[in-house]
Every structure is written in structure tokens, then in C-alpha cells.
Amino acid sequence: MEQATYRTLEYDRIRAMLADCASSVLGKERAAAIAPSSDRAEVALRLAETSEAVRIAGFAAPPLGGIRDLRPMLKKVKLGAALTLDAFVDVRSFLYATRNVKEFFKALETDAPLLKEAAHGLELLGQLERSLDNAIDEHGELRDDASVELRRIRRERAAAEARIKDRISAILHAPEHQKHFQDAIVTIRDERYVLPVKAEYRRFFPGIVHDQSATGATLFIEPMAVVEAGNDVKQLTLAEQREIARILKSLSLQVQKEGATLTANADVLAQVDFAFAKARLAERMKATEPQLSDGRETKLLAARHPLIADENVVPIDIELGTRFSMLLITGPNTGGKTVSMKTLGLMVLMAQSGCFLPVAQGSQIAVYDDVYADIGDEQSIEQSLSTFSAHMTHIVAILQKAGPRDLVLVDELGAGTDPEEGAALAMAILERLLAIGAATVATTHYSELKTFAYTRDGIENACVEFEVKSLRPTYRLLIGIPGASNAFAISQRLGLADSIILRAKELIRADHAQFEHVVSDLEQQKRLYEQMNADIAERQRHAEALEKKVAAQQADLDKKKGDLIKKARQESAALVRRTRREAEDIIDQLKKQFDDQGIHARQAAMQEARRRLTEASEKARPGIVGQKHLGKKIDLKTLKPGDSVYLPKLDQKGTVLELHGKELEVQVGSLRTSVRAKDARFLGHAGAGGGETLMNGAKAPLGKAGGKHAWASAGNGGTGVYRQSGRGTTDLLGKTATARREIDIRGLMVDEAEGVLGKFIDDAQIAGLGEILVIHGKGTGALRKGVQAYLKHHASVLSYQFADQTDGGTGATVVQLK
């Protein structure tokens, strides 16, 4: 692109801002040299890289410190020169930075394929890094153990210096020499240890004079006693310097050997630093990532000129390349026309450089091959060119080079000459640019161009808003409405006589006045519609907020409903499990009694089972009156044989046969038993018809009729007493009497069949059956396999096999019970 365009749009200031955001010299150089690209794929890659850096910088700061510019050092070692210790410190810092950046991206969990791939290309030079660490300490000094020879030399030199200090100290503190010294201190001259001796006592101190004071009163003498030792120190110092030079040369050769790798690593670190510089610039500008349009569509929302302070900038919406490829902006001077045009041009340059834009989310921008700008007064005295000539020279050059994928920005088109000729020339130039197909933004004051835009497809009028009452521009860009000059209103507000303004209105052409009136009406309608749109948007936001609130409440209700259902299911499942466990305990106890323990043990077990089942039944039906409350306490004085009594423990009624003190012999069905009188309840005397006469005059329960509870009629106005029979005992006896040998489980699922079959086996055992027949059918065989797998592990099953053909063959299984 043209360098003149960069200067016109102040692109260099963006470069400077970007360089200021870089952390290293390498990053700053890359930022200062950045240039827009016209390749859409490359622009998309640049923006993607910036997007990754912005995403990473949002939660983690990359370790970019320590990146040094090694190019001068690499150039020196390439020529065979040895580097200094300071240079090696920079090289080591660079190696540390390389390792830190590589490890940072290796541990990074954020999706950043471009930057991760770049960091993956960093090559760690572990051998060189270890060599530098072994030779140079954290203060940048050469270590004593950088080599065996250096350690020996420094140790010997230290010992020689210590001997010198001891000898000089002895001379310095000798009592006979105290008056000979100017000061009782040891100093160094020409790297030799000397004493400050007064000049008049020179003869008392044989040795070498290395220096004297400015007045000549003090001589700095190296005593002969330490001269030889000083010579040794000097030789060791020279040896040390030679060994240091050898070590630095060796390290320099290692750096030279890795020169290509260091250069490649420097390029990668510069790329990473530059990417995060763009991220920092985006943060400073509060910028967002623009969408790249596939065609020529550009639509910037709330665009802010990046070089105008936040407190002064006015966001504008710019549209180009959608319904029109040319935008004609009109309006008064200092209204913001040029700033609007520069904002668009600078946004294009920034986007094509890979920078985020200070625009609202949802903005999109096209990629242009080139950007041409003719903005400002370029009058040249040296070239004898007027303002009009300078502009026209530049426009001629633009028309010769502009293509259909370029962006052309022209300020005050046709200005600086006769208005009619300038307007006609401007229309001709716009027609040419329209024919070329270049995206164009032009500013003008000519009313003829406003009409011209209405009569041509592909051109749209726009204006910068101006508040007539305050005589101030609002700097807002209004697309679709041409701007009025407002010359009369401005002049009147500034104090021009009304008579002059009235005369001016008489002189203006009628069509022009009508056009200005139409423009004014359009602007008013524009403001009205904007206000209406703002109200609608506010109502819409309110409605959306209410929808979100209702949705949240509904979600909360659904959650509470689900929690209640889940809790109820859990409680129900727990109740079922508890009931099953109790029933299984009862059945297990009953099974254990059906062995050779004897009839008494079985009866006791059955009585205990009846009691537990009765209690469970009463707990499950808390509102029903239990039968154990029937009758009243027995009075032995009135009790006679033949009277009816109720035995709660057996849950049966019986007839008194004999009385033996406090014990009764009672006939219960075919069973005769002895019970204590306190364990029985009196029902009625013998001879009462229609059942036993109760103490309250009611009839006792007559027993079960058809499996239902029966009622005795209540006499003497008494209330009937409901007697719940011993359901567990009745069921048990009923199962014994009506037990079946076979069960049909066809049509059930395996898990359903297991539950039904387990209960059937328990009932069969209680009834004393040794063999049962399970009819499961043939079908797919899934039910048969599931049933036989269940029988295989059942504790009460002795064996099982398929039934005979007469009993169903493979469609049924005969089970032998233990």
C-alpha cells in the first residue's frame, strides 16, 4: 500500500502504540515494521493469532521476560570473536526465556493451536544452557570452578595476596614505624599493595615507589619484602586472564555452533511477543475481533477512532459494500466528516494487520487490495501547485491505479475551484469510480452531489448530524440522509441581520430551497424513528428479561418437583425393602420349624408368626380396632363350662370345657388346650342364640364369610364391633389348604418372574409340597434360561429338570424342593 496513505491515516501512530505494548526488542521491531496484508487468508490467520493471545492473556500472563536481542552477538561469534561475560549473561537469559515460553504453552490447557504450534518449534539448547550455568554465577561473574586450572590459579593467587597482606600489616603496625606513615592504611597502586610513607622518611623504607600524592608529601611505596610476592600475584593474575579468555572463547564457539537454532528461536519468541502485544493493545482500546466478510461488505458498529481519547470520541456506524459501494458524506465544516472517513480507513489498515478494532460485537469488514486516501490540504509552494491542483494530481494518480477491490477515500471532492465546475467535475470522478467498482467514501459541500447520489444506483447519501439550536455538531454519522448546509441558521445565530438573511433566501433558487427543506424534514423523521426504535429496543429488553425470569422460575419448580418425586420414590423403595426383609425373616423361621423338631416347636413358630404378622397388619392399618380387644376380663366366679372365650395368642375363639383353679381347658376347633384365665377374654355364656352374647349386648363376630370380615348384629342399640381376623394366620392356613402344584409365568419378564416364583416356592414349602411345576413356555428361551438360573441358586431348590411331554416338555420345568 502507499506510504502516503499511512501518513494520511496516521497508521504510524498505531504502530507506535503496538510497539509500546511489546515486551522485548524483537517484539517492538516486529510491531514497528507491521504492514497490512491484502491476502484474506493471511489476514484471517493474523486475527486468529491475536484472538488466541487475547484468550490466553485473559487468565494467564506468558513469561516473556528475559528475551534478548542476540543478533549482534551472533554476528560477532560468526566472525570468530569471543563474547564478553555480559554477552553470555544475555545469552543465558535468552535460553531461560525460551525454556519458560515452551513450558508455558506445553502446560496450557486453552485451545490455541497457532501459538502452541509456534512454541512447539522452540528448540531447547540444554547443553549450552548447562555450560553457561557451570561457568557463570547468578551475579554474572565467572565461577572459580569454571575450569580446574582457573580454580588452581585463583586459589594460589588468594594465598599469595594473603601473605602480602600479613607482611604489610606487620610493617604498618610496628611501633617504630608509626611516625613514618601519613595514614595507617594499605592502598593499591597499579594493582600492587603499597604503604603511604611520608616523603622525608623515604630512606627508611626500601622498595618501589609506585605513586605520590598531588602535593608530593606522601609516597606510595611497595616494600621490598613483598615485591617478590607481588610479582607472584601479578603472574597469577595474568594466568587467570589467559584462562578466562580461553573459557570465554570455548563458550563462544558453543554459541556459534548453535547460531542457527538461536536465530530460529528468536523469530518464534518475536512472533509470540508480537501476538501478545496485539492482545494488550486490544485491551487498552477495548477492542473486539471483527468478522471478515467473504465479499466486499463492511459494517462497523459503534466504531471509535483509536487515536481520539475515550472521553471525546463519538461512536459511529459505518456501512459500505452492502446495498451501495459508494458513500457520499455531506455536512458543515468541523462536523466530523473527515474523522468518519479516517475512522473507516484506519480500521481497514488495523484489521488487515491482524489487530482487533474498537467496535461493537458483530462488526464485519472487507479485505481490500489497497487503500487510497486524498485527505487534507496538500498545497505545495515549491511545486507551484494550488490546493485544487494538488488534490487533482493525487486523484489522477488514484484513478490510474484503483481497482474493483480497492478502497478510495476522497475529502472535499471538487473543492478549490468554481462551484459549478467543481461540482460537475466531482460527479464525473464519482461516476468513474463507480464504473471501476472501487469502494469509495467521499465528502463534499455541493448540493448538486446530493441530488446526484439520489439518481444513481450504488451511491448512498450520508451526513454528520448538526444541532442548529446550539450550533454544535453531534459528530454522529447518519446514513441514508443528506446533510443540510444550515448556512442561514448558523449566520442568524451568529448575529447576521435578518434583512440580509431574508434577501439571501429570496436570491436562492427555489429548487435548492425546496431540497434543503426536504433534507430538514428527513433529518427530523430520522430522529423520530431513532427514538421510536430506542423505545422498542428497551421494551424488547424488558420482555426478554421477564422471559428469562419466568424460565428460571419454571426451572426451579421443575427441580423441586423432581426432588419431591425422587424423595417419595426413595421412601417407597425403602418401605418395600423393609417389608420384604420382615416377610423373608418370618418365612425363614417357618421353614426352619418344618423339620424333625416336633409338633410343639412348629406350633410355637406358627403362633409367633401369627403374632408378628398381626402386629404388622395393625401397624399398616392404624385406624382399625384390633380383635385382641374383644370381650372382657374373665371372672372365674361367673364362668361356667360351655361359655365362649377368646384366646388372643391363638387369635381364635373357643368353648370352656373345664375349670382348674386359674387355668381353663378350652376346645378350639378339634384342638384342646389349657390356658391361664388371664390370657383369655370372656365373650358370652352358653345358650345365647345367634352367636355369643357380648357384655355390651352386641353379637360377636361370626367369622369370615367368603374371605370377607363378617359382622355380628348389634342389639339394644349398641354399636357393631369390627373384628379383623388374624390375616397372617388365615393366609397361612389358607395357603396350606389350597396350595397348588403348578404356576404359569408365561408373558412375564425375567425379573418379574423371579419375584412371583420365589413367593410361590415359599408358599409350596409352607404347604408341605415336595415338587412343583413351573410353566414358562418355549418362545425365545430367554424366560426359560432366566428361571433355571434363578432356581440354580435358590436355597430351597433341591433339583430341577424339564417336564415330561405330557406336562409341557421343554415349556415347563419340574422343581424338587428340599
Side-chain angles (χ1 to χ4, degrees):
M1 293 187 182
E2 290 187 336
Q3 293 297 322
T5 300
Y6 296 162
R7 292 193 301 271
T8 300
L9 299 178
E10 300 180 275
Y11 180 64
D12 287 338
R13 292 181 62 184
I14 299 297
R15 286 173 168 170
M17 293 171 65
L18 191 57
D20 185 57
C21 294
S23 300
S24 66
V25 173
L26 301 176
K28 293 180 184 297
E29 286 186 0
R30 184 163 293 198
I34 187 176
S37 172
S38 57
D39 185 344
R40 187 185 184 283
E42 183 179 353
V43 173
L45 193 66
R46 290 181 177 186
L47 287 173
E49 186 180 76
T50 306
S51 179
E52 290 182 4
V54 169
R55 191 162 53 250
I56 295 171
F59 65 89
L64 298 175
I67 302 176
R68 301 289 187 265
D69 185 8
L70 302 184
R71 289 172 296 182
M73 306 173 201
L74 295 177
K75 186 176 181 180
K76 287 178 64 176
V77 296
K78 189 174 181 181
L79 296 174
L83 299 179
T84 63
L85 276 174
D86 291 339
F88 283 117
V89 170
D90 288 344
V91 173
R92 186 173 60 177
S93 176
F94 182 87
L95 295 176
Y96 288 168
T98 302
R99 179 178 296 276
N100 291 337
V101 170
K102 187 176 183 69
E103 291 178 352
F104 173 82
F105 281 100
K106 185 178 180 179
L108 188 65
E109 297 180 356
T110 303
D111 183 27
L114 295 177
L115 292 176
K116 281 187 175 181
E117 182 180 0
H120 183 71
L122 291 171
E123 184 176 348
L124 301 181
L125 301 176
Q127 183 58 45
L128 178 58
E129 191 175 337
R130 285 190 294 273
S131 296
L132 293 177
D133 284 338
N134 292 335
I136 303 172
D137 63 17
E138 61 275 10
H139 303 294
E141 300 294 337
L142 201 63
R143 297 181 184 274
D144 292 345
D145 55 355
S147 71
V148 176
E149 180 65 15
L150 182 63
R151 182 169 61 250
R152 182 192 65 80
I153 293 172
R154 286 186 173 178
R155 185 169 59 247
E156 291 182 1
R157 191 184 70 174
E161 289 178 344
R163 289 194 298 271
I164 293 174
K165 291 178 182 178
D166 290 342
R167 292 178 185 177
I168 290 183
S169 179
I171 296 172
L172 186 64
H173 293 91
E176 65 272 17
H177 296 309
Q178 293 302 310
K179 64 178 181 178
H180 301 152
F181 300 130
Q182 190 71 32
D183 295 299
I185 59 174
V186 179
T187 60
I188 296 177
R189 290 292 187 273
D190 297 331
E191 299 181 358
R192 312 285 285 201
Y193 290 93
V194 296
L195 294 171
V197 180
K198 296 178 181 179
E200 58 269 24
Y201 298 114
R202 166 70 180 83
R203 65 183 183 278
F204 295 104
F205 285 90
I208 301 173
V209 178
H210 287 279
D211 197 5
Q212 68 177 2
S213 64
T215 60
T218 303
L219 299 177
F220 296 95
I221 300 174
E222 180 182 12
M224 290 303 295
V226 298
V227 169
E228 189 63 28
N231 292 337
D232 293 340
V233 171
K234 184 66 175 180
Q235 291 177 356
L236 291 171
T237 300
L238 294 175
E240 179 187 22
Q241 292 174 354
R242 288 193 299 270
E243 180 61 17
I244 290 174
R246 187 194 65 78
I247 295 172
L248 296 182
K249 182 63 176 179
S250 175
L251 294 175
S252 299
L253 290 175
Q254 293 186 46
V255 172
Q256 179 186 9
K257 181 180 177 182
E258 304 295 348
T261 302
L262 291 171
T263 301
N265 286 348
D267 290 339
V268 174
L269 292 177
Q271 177 186 352
V272 173
D273 188 15
F274 176 60
F276 282 94
K278 290 187 291 182
R280 294 189 191 95
L281 183 63
E283 182 182 7
R284 290 183 184 181
M285 291 184 175
K286 300 180 180 63
T288 61
E289 181 180 5
Q291 300 174 5
L292 292 182
S293 60
D294 296 328
R296 301 179 58 196
E297 299 83 6
T298 292
K299 190 171 185 179
L300 302 180
L301 307 176
R304 293 169 281 115
H305 195 289
L307 302 179
I308 300 178
D310 291 342
E311 60 271 16
N312 298 327
V313 69
V314 176
I316 59 174
D317 295 337
I318 306 176
E319 182 180 350
L320 191 64
T322 51
R323 297 175 290 106
F324 50 88
S325 62
M326 184 176 292
L327 189 65
L328 189 63
I329 305 177
T330 54
N333 289 328
T334 70
K337 300 189 303 297
T338 304
V339 173
S340 299
M341 190 163 49
K342 282 187 172 183
T343 299
L344 173 61
L346 195 53
M347 294 288 180
V348 170
L349 298 182
M350 289 177 62
Q352 294 183 201
S353 300
C355 296
F356 281 12
L357 306 181
V359 295
Q361 291 284 355
S363 299
Q364 66 174 358
I365 195 166
V367 176
Y368 300 98
D369 288 347
D370 213 330
V371 179
Y372 300 100
D374 180 69
I375 302 173
D377 187 358
E378 297 185 4
Q379 182 175 356
S380 173
I381 298 176
E382 294 180 358
Q383 299 180 15
S384 301
L385 295 177
S386 64
T387 300
F388 176 77
S389 299
H391 281 302
M392 196 53 58
T393 300
H394 198 185
I395 289 174
V396 169
I398 291 174
L399 292 176
Q400 291 174 349
K401 295 183 290 185
R405 295 182 55 83
D406 295 336
L407 174 65
V408 179
L409 308 174
V410 184
D411 190 27
E412 300 294 349
L413 184 59
T417 187
D418 179 77
E420 291 188 5
E421 293 180 358
L425 191 59
M427 285 187 282
I429 293 172
L430 293 179
E431 283 184 342
R432 179 61 182 275
L433 290 172
L434 196 61
I436 293 173
T440 305
V441 178
T443 67
T444 184
H445 283 285
Y446 294 137
S447 298
E448 292 84 353
L449 292 181
K450 304 174 188 177
T451 308
F452 172 77
Y454 275 124
T455 59
R456 296 291 190 280
D457 292 334
I459 307 179
E460 183 63 87
N461 272 307
C463 69
V464 287
E465 192 177 45
F466 189 86
E467 185 62 51
V468 178
K469 293 183 179 179
S470 62
L471 293 181
R472 292 182 180 275
T474 64
Y475 301 106
R476 295 174 59 214
L477 183 65
L478 306 178
I479 296 178
I481 299 177
S485 64
N486 299 306
F488 294 154
I490 295 173
S491 300
Q492 188 174 23
R493 292 278 295 176
L494 292 176
L496 189 63
D498 292 342
S499 58
I500 298 176
I501 293 175
L502 290 174
R503 179 55 181 165
K505 290 181 178 180
E506 293 175 356
L507 295 174
I508 195 170
R509 290 182 299 178
D511 58 345
H512 177 81
Q514 182 64 25
F515 181 80
E516 294 291 344
H517 181 69
V518 171
V519 168
S520 178
D521 289 344
L522 286 174
E523 289 181 349
Q524 292 179 2
Q525 292 179 15
K526 176 74 173 181
R527 295 192 189 98
L528 178 62
Y529 288 138
E530 286 181 348
Q531 183 62 41
M532 293 173 62
N533 287 336
D535 293 342
I536 293 173
E538 180 62 28
R539 291 175 180 270
Q540 184 176 0
R541 285 193 295 269
H542 183 65
E544 290 175 352
L546 289 177
E547 289 179 358
K548 291 180 179 179
K549 183 177 180 181
V550 170
Q553 292 177 347
Q554 183 63 40
D556 185 55
L557 289 175
D558 292 343
K559 183 178 181 301
K560 290 181 178 178
K561 178 181 177 182
D563 293 342
L564 289 174
I565 293 175
K566 182 178 179 181
K567 183 178 179 181
R569 287 176 178 173
Q570 291 175 346
E571 293 178 351
S572 175
L575 180 60
V576 170
R577 289 193 298 270
R578 186 166 61 252
T579 304
R580 284 180 178 175
R581 284 196 300 268
E582 292 178 357
E584 289 172 357
D585 292 342
I586 294 172
I587 292 171
D588 290 341
Q589 292 184 15
L590 289 174
K591 288 179 181 178
K592 292 177 181 178
Q593 300 305 322
F594 279 93
D595 51 18
D596 296 332
Q597 294 181 12
I599 187 63
H600 294 294
R602 287 198 294 273
Q603 287 179 347
M606 292 176 67
Q607 290 176 4
E608 177 63 18
R610 290 192 190 99
R611 185 187 64 78
R612 292 178 62 183
L613 289 172
T614 300
E615 291 179 356
S617 176
E618 290 176 355
K619 290 179 181 179
R621 295 175 173 84
I624 301 176
V625 179
Q627 58 193 8
K628 64 183 179 180
H629 300 294
L630 291 176
K632 58 178 290 186
K633 183 177 181 182
I634 290 178
D635 186 358
L636 294 175
K637 295 179 180 180
T638 60
L639 186 67
K640 297 179 296 182
D643 292 344
S644 296
V645 295
Y646 170 64
L647 305 181
K649 290 186 177 180
L650 298 179
D651 193 18
Q652 295 289 330
K653 74 172 183 175
T655 304
V656 178
L657 297 178
E658 297 179 6
L659 283 75
H660 303 286
K662 295 183 179 181
E663 291 190 356
L664 308 177
E665 188 173 345
V666 181
Q667 179 79 33
V668 180
S670 61
L671 175 68
R672 295 167 64 98
T673 183
S674 295
V675 297
R676 291 179 295 181
K678 67 178 181 178
D679 294 333
R681 305 286 292 178
F682 176 73
L683 292 179
H685 294 290
E692 294 82 1
T693 303
L694 302 182
M695 299 306 296
N696 58 1
K699 293 288 185 176
L702 298 179
K704 287 191 175 181
K708 304 292 184 180
H709 292 291
W711 282 85
S713 60
N716 301 326
T719 58
V721 179
Y722 177 68
R723 177 172 178 262
Q724 180 187 4
S725 67
R727 184 174 182 83
T729 304
T730 305
D731 289 346
L732 180 62
L733 296 176
K735 290 173 184 175
T736 304
T738 63
R740 294 177 291 110
R741 175 180 174 274
E742 65 182 36
I743 181 172
D744 190 347
I745 59 173
R746 287 176 294 182
L748 299 180
M749 302 296 290
V750 174
D751 55 349
E752 297 174 340
E754 290 177 354
V756 173
L757 186 55
K759 184 175 183 302
F760 183 75
I761 291 174
D762 294 338
D763 293 344
Q765 279 196 313
I766 293 174
L769 297 179
E771 181 182 277
I772 61 173
L773 179 67
V774 181
I775 303 173
H776 46 64
K778 298 179 180 180
T780 61
L783 182 59
R784 181 185 69 244
K785 294 179 181 178
V787 167
Q788 291 186 351
Y790 175 74
L791 293 173
K792 182 177 181 180
H793 299 92
H794 199 287
S796 300
V797 175
L798 181 62
S799 64
Y800 61 89
Q801 61 184 2
F802 286 122
D804 294 335
Q805 291 297 326
T806 56
D807 290 334
T810 58
T813 298
V814 177
V815 182
Q816 300 293 331
L817 302 178
K818 293 180 180 179

